Amino acid sequence: QVHLRESGGGLVHAGEALTLSCSVSGRTASSYAVGWFRQAPGEEREFLAAITWKGGGTYYSPSHKGRFTISRDNTKDQAYLGILHLKLEDTALYVCAQSKGGVAGRDESDYGSWGQGTQVIVSQ
């Protein structure tokens, strides 16, 4: 069983930067990807970015490429999501997930294990 735990969220001011962490543990597949999603209040969950664990290949949502950077540290079994120039509309629950296969997909159905999320609140 795979466990994912996010951390790094909190209350931040608009314009600041933030890095979220996703710890991956348990029985993981030999080839997988980790994706980051977010869900704002009253909104659907949206894909942000994904990274393949072995090769480190990255895939971003075209809407969020630029301010968001995904990375991973295999030695620590952690993935990260860096966010620059935070905006009020970045307020959301940020969730990481492990893919069912080795592809860094953008659909929720591509992922089989999910964390509980870390809340980010951006204020003026």
Side-chain angles (χ1 to χ4, degrees):
Q1 188 174 4
V2 178
H3 298 280
L4 298 103
R5 175 179 288 184
E6 304 88 344
S7 61
L11 179 63
V12 294
H13 291 104
E16 292 180 340
L18 189 67
T19 298
L20 305 177
S21 300
C22 172
S23 176
V24 183
S25 62
R27 298 182 63 181
T28 59
S30 60
S31 178
Y32 63 91
V34 170
W36 279 98
F37 293 75
R38 73 180 182 185
Q39 187 166 18
E43 301 289 333
E44 293 186 352
R45 184 178 292 177
E46 65 172 334
F47 170 78
L48 300 173
I51 187 166
T52 57
W53 209 248
K54 278 190 175 180
T58 57
Y59 177 68
Y60 292 91
S61 164
S63 303
H64 301 291
K65 192 173 184 178
R67 289 197 304 121
F68 292 79
T69 302
I70 191 170
S71 61
R72 94 273 191 251
D73 185 335
N74 291 17
T75 63
K76 297 180 179 179
D77 290 327
Q78 296 227 348
Y80 307 96
L81 182 70
I83 312 171
L84 297 175
H85 309 301
L86 281 156
K87 304 176 181 180
L88 297 179
E89 51 264 40
D90 291 323
T91 294
L93 182 70
Y94 286 73
V95 183
C96 64
Q98 186 191 66
S99 66
K100 296 176 183 176
V103 178
R106 63 177 297 168
D107 295 326
E108 290 185 50
S109 60
D110 295 325
Y111 297 84
S113 299
W114 296 80
Q116 296 296 310
T118 184
Q119 184 70 46
V120 174
I121 300 174
V122 184
S123 66
Q124 289 282 15

